Amino acid sequence: MKKIVLFASGNGSNVENIIHYFKNNSNVSVVGVFSNNQHAKVLERAKNHNIYSESFTNIELNDGTVFQKIAELNPDLIVLAGFLLKFPDTIINAFPNKVINIHPALLPKYGGKGMYGNHVHQAILDNKEKETGITIHFVNEHYDEGEFIFQKELNIENCRTSEEIATKVQELEHKHFPEIIEVLLTQNQ
């Protein structure tokens, strides 16, 4: 059985989508959901699916507390799905090529510290881009600079607001993120 651990900071729609995708898969199990925000809706979503969930502080993320909990779960893949903090090098190094992230733009454009959620979509709108998309990538020690796994483009010429862009990008995320996770888990057999 392949095990996935998910990290998110907020609402958790990608997390819930991933949980639904693998719900009836006898070869893959979501074994934990972690959040740096104790009030994040993602924790409630995990509990509704009877999945272990926990919030943590920034100190716990960096002092080894979170690392120890992940190590006990022994995941085959750690998935950052709307997780806003820099992921610790200790965890990345302990799980080489097993930590992935989704970014709501076509990296390397619109990546880096502070470029998340609506900040990305508004920057794309302000720059009058004709397309955007998603990037799924391995996580390394720098924000949004890990090796690309998958990118998908999206035409946004008819979008007038950052919210319209966000809706279209989220549709791409929900369609492709679980599929790419499944491919990665299959490759690692």
Side-chain angles (χ1 to χ4, degrees), residues 1-7 14-15 17-23 25 27-34 51-52 70 73-81 95 98-100 177-186 188:
M1 167 85 62
K2 297 287 186 173
K3 297 185 283 186
I4 303 170
V5 169
L6 299 159
F7 279 76
N14 268 315
V15 167
N17 186 55
I18 292 164
I19 290 168
H20 280 297
Y21 185 89
F22 291 108
K23 190 172 190 125
N25 186 322
N27 299 316
V28 178
S29 178
V30 175
V31 296
V33 174
F34 290 84
I51 294 172
Y52 169 80
I70 295 171
L73 293 171
N74 192 26
D76 296 283
L77 200 61
I78 299 170
V79 178
L80 310 185
F95 295 91
K98 291 186 176 182
V99 183
I100 67 169
F177 204 16
E179 293 171 350
I180 297 302
I181 290 168
E182 187 170 35
V183 167
L184 289 170
L185 290 171
T186 303
N188 292 336

Side-chain angles (χ1 to χ4, degrees), residues 153-168:
E153 301 82 22
L154 169 69
N155 183 300
I156 54 165
E157 289 180 273
N158 294 328
C159 291
R160 300 289 171 246
T161 67
S162 60
E163 291 79 13
E164 288 177 28
I165 295 171
T167 298
K168 287 186 163 208

Side-chain angles (χ1 to χ4, degrees), residues 7-171:
F7 279 76
S9 296
N11 186 33
S13 69
N14 268 315
V15 167
E16 188 158 49
N17 186 55
I18 292 164
I19 290 168
H20 280 297
Y21 185 89
F22 291 108
K23 190 172 190 125
N24 296 316
N25 186 322
S26 59
N27 299 316
V28 178
S29 178
V30 175
V31 296
V33 174
F34 290 84
S35 180
N36 60 304
N37 176 356
Q38 66 180 349
H39 303 294
K41 186 171 180 181
V42 70
L43 297 170
E44 179 185 323
R45 290 179 190 259
K47 286 178 187 161
N48 289 341
H49 293 282
N50 297 314
I51 294 172
Y52 169 80
S53 64
E54 186 171 326
S55 65
F56 56 85
T57 65
N58 290 359
I59 292 170
E60 291 170 322
L61 179 62
N62 293 297
D63 73 3
T65 303
V66 173
F67 172 79
Q68 185 60 42
K69 291 176 183 186
I70 295 171
E72 289 170 8
L73 293 171
N74 192 26
D76 296 283
L77 200 61
I78 299 170
V79 178
L80 310 185
F83 185 67
L84 304 182
L85 300 181
K86 186 172 183 306
F87 214 62
D89 292 350
T90 51
I91 300 174
I92 295 167
N93 294 333
F95 295 91
N97 295 319
K98 291 186 176 182
V99 183
I100 67 169
N101 181 48
I102 191 162
H103 188 75
L106 296 171
L107 293 174
K109 293 172 85 175
Y110 305 105
K113 186 173 183 172
M115 290 305 286
Y116 61 89
N118 199 56
H119 298 287
V120 173
H121 306 310
Q122 189 61 51
I124 289 167
L125 186 68
D126 291 346
N127 288 319
K128 299 178 177 34
E129 297 282 358
K130 292 184 169 112
E131 69 174 19
T132 188
I134 60 170
T135 303
I136 300 169
H137 63 92
F138 288 107
V139 175
N140 68 13
E141 65 275 7
H142 304 289
Y143 282 108
D144 301 324
E145 291 184 14
E147 178 186 346
F148 296 172
I149 300 165
F150 175 84
Q151 286 190 305
K152 183 70 176 175
E153 301 82 22
L154 169 69
N155 183 300
I156 54 165
E157 289 180 273
N158 294 328
C159 291
R160 300 289 171 246
T161 67
S162 60
E163 291 79 13
E164 288 177 28
I165 295 171
T167 298
K168 287 186 163 208
V169 168
Q170 191 171 66
E171 288 172 8

